[in-house]
Amino acid sequence: MHDHDDQHAPQPPTTRADTVPDDTSTDTDARGSHHPEAAEPSTTLDWPQLLDAMRTIGVTDGADAADWWIQDTIGGRTTGDPRPAARRVLAGITDGDPAVLDTLPGTNSGWAASFAARHRGTSAGDHAAAAAELTGEQWQQAQTAYLDGFDTTVADAIAAACRRTLNPSGDDRDLTGMHPDHLTLGSVGVFAGDWGSYTDGDGAWRTPRGYVGTLIDTWNGFAVFRCTRAVADAIVADLQYNRDTYRRHLAASGVAAADLDRQVDVSLARVRFDGDVIVVDSTRVSGDPDDVERIGPDDDGRYVVMGWSWCWEAVDPYDCDRIAGDLPEPDRQQEWVLLTHAPYTRVAPAPYRVTALRSLSRGGTYVAELHHAGDPVGNVLGGSQPTRLAATGDPFDAAQWQTYVAAARRRGEPMTEAALLDALAEEYCLGVAADAATAAGDTLVRLLDDTGAILAVLRVHPAPAGPAAFRDLREQLGQQPLVEGISWQYWTGTAWRHLLSAGPHPTGTWPQPAPVRGDGTADLTAD
């Protein structure tokens, strides 16, 4: 905050409705003097420096005006909960809502008269005093420079203050990217159960504490996330707190002391740490004496606390009173991404991709280019021997590539460099085929085995539309002789979706798809 004393403190600012009107026909300064348009400005003025000075003064005045507004609206001079106002104003600034923007501090018609007085003795003040010599269009440009500095500073300072008010971590980082609507698999978000949630005085739904984690799956519309040990500790502590709170509630309601533990246990699971393992005892909740789950850390030391079992949901960080875990910076909010076409393969969000693939034989050998951020960095040689990467003469960061390889996973298991290169090649080939099919009004179906390997890909013409067409397609696929395939999937135009579970067949083979042609297109229709 800026310090204000009686001598220099600005008056409470007006709103934007009181800003200087933009009169392009005549120019009038703060004292009411008229500047003829034909007059030339003084040749002693350094015009670029003067505009910079005007903008600098606008920034200073805007910061002071924003401080007054913050104190009076969501700061120390307010009463009650400031979060509803902060939430409303932040949304209005983000959306550019005039109904909100017009309530923010604005300048008044005395903007030029205050320049010299507020900045006397500074270089900016000297330029400000010189503004009286301006005429015509230059006068308007000087005013615009001031208003640009003022308005931008007001909006930025107030938005930051609103974020601090709403952010349970107490800083002004922009957390809108962690809103549930923006999360995809591999995104870092904030998650919570519905236990303990409440509505505040403004009718907004609030979460007592959210937990930072990475979204790894969904089931029945609920989130599955993994988290650090520190977050897992907070979850276990909060669940124990909920048990203790419920126990006190039962005691206050007159439940006999001898019956308190039993009633708590039939409503809430016992959760505790046994060394590095979380033990969730739900035997009395479910009535099943074997309903005890032990959750250990994964290879990265992360925990999935009752994933695919409890009803966790992604929540807006701004809706949480507190948050357990470290919130990432905006450029760190995506931990990994799933490849679109290579099944069950996840990679770090780094710009590596295979392109310009040429098939060398029907036996599956191929050569392709590996690109990083759009630049070719190596040649991929794949096929009968383990796929390998041959770096070209272009700059190639071997350490960065090895980091990328180390982060890759297929069905949760680490991948070799050869397997990752093949997956990137598969991503390219199926991407080309899927785009071509979609453009022609067709679609692709593929058969996967129990490891996620693609056994066959078929192009279906036309793409099925409606329940009857999908039923016919399932019947045709169900009649095919299968050996190892377990699942058919179809391409929706944006993602692969389950189509049909395929069981083993005692006899029969399935033709291999044709290789990718040298022009980069693919004919994946079975013979």
Side-chain angles (χ1 to χ4, degrees):
M1 294 296 178
H2 297 268
D3 294 326
H4 304 287
D5 55 34
D6 294 336
Q7 181 179 357
H8 299 292
Q11 294 300 311
T14 60
T15 63
R16 294 181 188 274
D18 301 314
T19 57
V20 183
D22 182 12
D23 185 352
T24 57
S25 61
T26 61
D27 299 295
T28 305
D29 67 15
R31 298 174 297 282
S33 300
H34 195 71
H35 295 275
E37 290 187 9
E40 292 294 328
S42 169
T43 57
T44 62
L45 291 175
D46 185 327
W47 178 242
Q49 290 184 16
L50 186 141
L51 289 182
D52 288 343
M54 296 299 101
R55 189 172 290 105
T56 298
I57 296 170
V59 168
T60 302
D61 291 353
D64 286 341
D67 278 351
W68 279 91
W69 184 97
I70 292 166
Q71 288 294 328
D72 289 339
T73 309
I74 60 174
R77 289 193 288 270
T78 61
T79 59
D81 186 355
R83 289 176 300 186
R87 192 176 298 115
R88 182 177 62 254
V89 171
L90 181 59
I93 293 175
T94 302
D95 297 339
D97 184 357
V100 172
L101 296 179
D102 287 346
T103 67
L104 302 184
T107 56
N108 55 41
S109 59
W111 69 275
S114 69
F115 283 169
R118 289 178 55 76
H119 304 279
R120 185 177 292 112
T122 67
S123 59
D126 294 340
H127 282 293
E133 301 181 35
L134 296 179
T135 59
E137 183 179 351
Q138 287 187 328
W139 177 260
Q140 290 286 350
Q141 291 180 27
Q143 178 179 344
T144 299
Y146 174 86
L147 293 175
D148 177 65
F150 185 97
D151 290 343
T152 300
T153 300
V154 164
D156 289 348
I158 290 177
C162 289
R163 288 195 293 266
R164 284 194 299 272
T165 300
L166 295 172
N167 192 327
S169 297
D171 56 39
D172 63 353
R173 278 181 295 171
D174 186 355
L175 303 180
T176 55
M178 298 180 72
H179 188 280
D181 291 346
H182 300 154
L183 298 188
T184 60
L185 293 181
S187 294
V188 179
V190 179
F191 304 89
D194 60 0
W195 44 88
S197 299
Y198 67 97
T199 55
D200 62 15
D202 200 43
W205 190 255
R206 303 291 302 170
T207 298
R209 178 139 74 162
Y211 309 99
V212 177
T214 302
L215 183 67
I216 63 171
D217 199 2
T218 59
W219 71 284
N220 295 332
F222 297 106
V224 181
F225 67 99
R226 70 174 196 153
C227 62
T228 64
R229 170 63 189 258
V231 174
D233 283 337
I235 293 173
V236 171
D238 287 348
L239 292 172
Q240 183 58 49
Y241 174 81
N242 289 344
R243 285 178 55 89
D244 294 341
T245 300
Y246 185 51
R247 195 176 195 280
R248 289 193 295 270
H249 168 75
L250 292 176
S253 301
V255 175
D259 199 35
L260 288 176
D261 287 342
R262 185 192 64 80
Q263 290 204 27
V264 172
D265 287 343
V266 298
S267 299
L268 301 171
R270 291 178 178 264
V271 184
R272 62 182 177 85
F273 264 100
D274 179 12
D276 290 333
V277 176
I278 300 174
V279 180
V280 182
D281 183 349
S282 304
T283 53
R284 295 194 178 184
V285 175
S286 64
D288 180 355
D290 297 325
D291 194 359
V292 178
E293 187 160 352
R294 297 178 63 85
I295 305 166
D298 62 18
D299 293 340
D300 298 324
R302 305 288 187 91
Y303 291 83
V304 180
V305 182
M306 297 305 287
W308 306 279
S309 180
W310 286 359
C311 300
W312 294 104
E313 294 181 292
V315 296
D316 189 338
Y318 291 127
D319 289 342
C320 300
D321 296 338
R322 297 175 298 154
I323 289 180
D326 295 327
L327 295 168
E329 296 298 329
D331 61 347
R332 300 284 184 177
Q333 290 177 5
Q334 193 70 33
E335 187 173 301
W336 49 264
V337 295
L338 279 175
L339 294 183
T340 302
H341 300 290
Y344 312 125
T345 302
R346 78 183 200 204
V347 296
Y352 284 103
R353 65 187 183 94
V354 158
T355 186
L357 186 149
R358 293 186 300 109
S359 176
L360 302 181
S361 73
R362 290 186 65 90
T365 58
Y366 67 88
V367 62
E369 291 183 1
L370 179 69
H371 284 230
H372 179 269
D375 298 323
V377 294
N379 292 322
V380 181
L381 308 175
S384 57
Q385 300 298 323
T387 301
R388 61 188 179 89
L389 174 65
T392 64
D394 298 313
F396 180 72
D397 190 332
Q400 184 181 57
W401 167 248
Q402 289 304 319
T403 299
Y404 183 74
V405 173
R409 296 288 186 273
R410 190 164 185 265
R411 299 183 71 91
E413 297 297 326
M415 301 179 69
T416 64
E417 179 181 87
L420 177 57
L421 289 169
D422 283 336
L424 293 175
E426 191 171 57
E427 180 78 0
Y428 170 73
C429 290
L430 275 182
V432 170
D435 289 346
T438 301
D442 301 343
T443 193
L444 302 179
V445 295
R446 67 185 186 184
L447 176 65
L448 305 183
D449 68 11
D450 57 356
T451 70
I454 300 175
L455 301 180
V457 180
L458 300 174
R459 180 161 168 169
V460 177
H461 174 77
F470 276 101
R471 183 176 61 250
D472 291 343
L473 179 58
R474 290 189 183 96
E475 290 178 356
Q476 294 177 35
L477 295 174
Q479 296 171 3
Q480 302 299 330
L482 307 177
V483 177
E484 298 176 338
I486 64 168
S487 175
W488 286 101
Q489 296 179 336
Y490 75 99
W491 176 244
T492 68
T494 58
W496 292 94
R497 294 286 183 264
H498 178 73
L499 179 65
L500 176 68
S501 295
H505 194 279
T507 61
T509 60
W510 190 260
Q512 292 297 313
V516 177
R517 293 195 289 256
D519 60 2
T521 62
D523 180 5
L524 298 180
T525 303
D527 297 333

